[in-house]
């Protein structure tokens, strides 16, 4: 703990001394600007883009109607104490442990004055936090029971303590994966990052904390946040005024988002 606090303090001091757009003191303002951009982006979507978003929503709905019960039944039958322990370990990147690793990475790269790696940790951290923030109101409005609650896959009670939809772990894991993938030109890094995120999603199914549609919805939110935040922050670091456009995309290979920037 003392080492962590020392590294964070050193990173804070260096951030204050170095004129960097990723200095610790600048991050709250950056997070607010990114949040507003993400929240208002759909207002500029065309009819075609809204149609694509509708297809993504239909994919989540179709998963809920056709796969949720079947997948959960299979996971329930395959549960063993060992698999449950492994699944809980695999889920850690989507929880507080994942955020702690990002915080430590930010502190160390600030201490060593490594601007580019630090900017990657910033993009991943902001993506994760904003993805989690985006799903909170949905969780409250949906009020979906978790599989372990025993109410079935059609149990919704808005404004209750139920918070199964969407999956926060999946949203965070895929947000970090999307941000890291967007910042690298190495295929293996993208494959590995999305692979880890996929394992987080599967682990939430194995422990019966979520239905398949919860995980898919969380993953889509995370990918949206990760790609959009990275595009916005890269433009900010370059000092350019750009319009970053994030479009939903659905094709034979699956659902996701595409990002473009207009200079």
């Amino acid at each position: 703990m003392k080492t962590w606090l020392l590294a964070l303090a050193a990173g804070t001091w260096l951030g204050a001394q170095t004129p960097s757009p990723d200095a610790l003191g600048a991050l709250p303002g950056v997070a607010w600007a990114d949040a507003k951009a993400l929240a208002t982006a759909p207002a500029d979507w065309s009819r075609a883009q809204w149609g694509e978003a509708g297809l993504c929503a239909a994919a989540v709905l179709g998963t809920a109607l056709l796969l949720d019960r079947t997948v959960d039944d299979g996971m329930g039958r395959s549960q063993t104490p060992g698999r449950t322990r492994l699944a809980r370990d695999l889920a850690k990147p989507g929880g507080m442990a994942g955020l702690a690793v990002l915080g430590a990475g930010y502190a160390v790269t600030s201490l060593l004055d490594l601007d580019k790696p630090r900017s990657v940790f910033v993009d991943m951290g902001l993506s994760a936090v904003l993805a989690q923030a985006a799903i909170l109101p949905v969780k409250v409005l949906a009020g979906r029971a978790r599989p372990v609650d025993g109410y079935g896959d059609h149990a919704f009670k808005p404004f209750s303590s139920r918070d199964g939809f969407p999956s926060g772990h999946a949203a965070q894991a895929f947000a970090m994966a999307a941000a890291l993938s967007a910042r690298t030109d190495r295929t293996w890094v993208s494959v590995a990052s999305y692979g880890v995120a996929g394992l987080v999603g599967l682990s939430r199914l194995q422990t019966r904390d979520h239905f398949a549609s919860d995980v898919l919805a969380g993953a889509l939110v995370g990918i949206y946040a990760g790609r959009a935040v990275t595009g916005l922050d890269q433009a900010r670091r370059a000092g350019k005024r750009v319009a970053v456009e994030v479009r939903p995309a659905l094709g034979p290979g699956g659902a996701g988002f595409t990002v473009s920037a207009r200079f």
Side-chain angles (χ1 to χ4, degrees):
M1 176 60 77
K2 291 182 179 179
T3 303
W4 159 254
L5 292 175
L6 179 62
L8 181 59
T12 303
W13 183 83
L14 282 173
Q17 299 298 315
T18 305
S20 168
D22 295 309
L24 190 62
L27 294 187
V30 174
W32 178 246
D34 287 349
K36 290 194 295 183
L38 264 64
T40 58
D44 296 324
W45 285 356
S46 66
R47 181 176 298 180
Q49 290 170 309
W50 276 109
E52 293 165 351
L55 289 176
C56 289
V60 174
L61 179 60
T63 300
L65 295 175
L66 302 176
L67 296 177
D68 275 359
R69 182 176 298 179
T70 301
V71 171
D72 183 55
D73 287 346
M75 292 297 178
R77 288 192 299 269
S78 67
Q79 272 192 330
T80 65
R83 287 180 179 178
T84 299
R85 286 193 298 270
L86 176 61
R88 296 204 182 283
D89 288 338
L90 291 174
K92 288 181 178 179
M96 290 303 299
L99 295 178
V101 169
L102 294 181
Y106 178 84
V108 170
T109 51
S110 295
L111 178 65
L112 299 177
D113 202 21
L114 302 173
D115 285 345
K116 185 174 181 179
R118 175 172 59 178
S119 71
V120 175
F121 283 113
V122 168
D123 289 347
M124 293 175 68
L126 290 179
S127 297
V129 170
L130 293 180
Q132 291 281 17
I135 68 171
L136 283 177
V138 183
K139 281 180 173 287
V140 174
L141 291 173
R144 191 183 196 186
R146 296 171 182 265
V148 293
D149 295 333
Y151 295 114
D153 57 323
H154 297 312
F156 294 86
K157 188 177 181 181
F159 303 102
S160 67
S161 60
R162 300 176 182 177
D163 60 350
F165 180 87
S167 167
H169 278 71
Q172 178 174 307
F174 276 90
M176 294 190 298
L180 180 57
S181 179
R183 290 297 307 274
T184 183
D185 57 358
R186 299 180 183 274
T187 302
W188 73 266
V189 174
S190 296
V191 171
S193 59
Y194 278 111
V196 171
L199 288 175
V200 171
L202 287 174
S203 73
R204 302 303 279 170
L205 299 177
Q206 179 63 53
T207 57
R208 302 189 67 231
D209 284 296
H210 287 289
F211 291 105
S213 59
D214 302 337
V215 171
L216 177 58
L220 290 173
V221 171
I223 294 171
Y224 173 83
R227 293 187 177 179
V229 165
T230 301
L232 290 165
D233 289 352
Q234 284 291 79
R236 169 177 57 82
R237 293 181 187 107
K240 298 176 180 178
R241 293 179 176 270
V242 302
V244 177
E245 184 179 79
V246 183
R247 297 183 55 172
L250 191 67
F257 293 89
T258 59
V259 180
S260 62
R262 298 192 304 275
F263 294 85

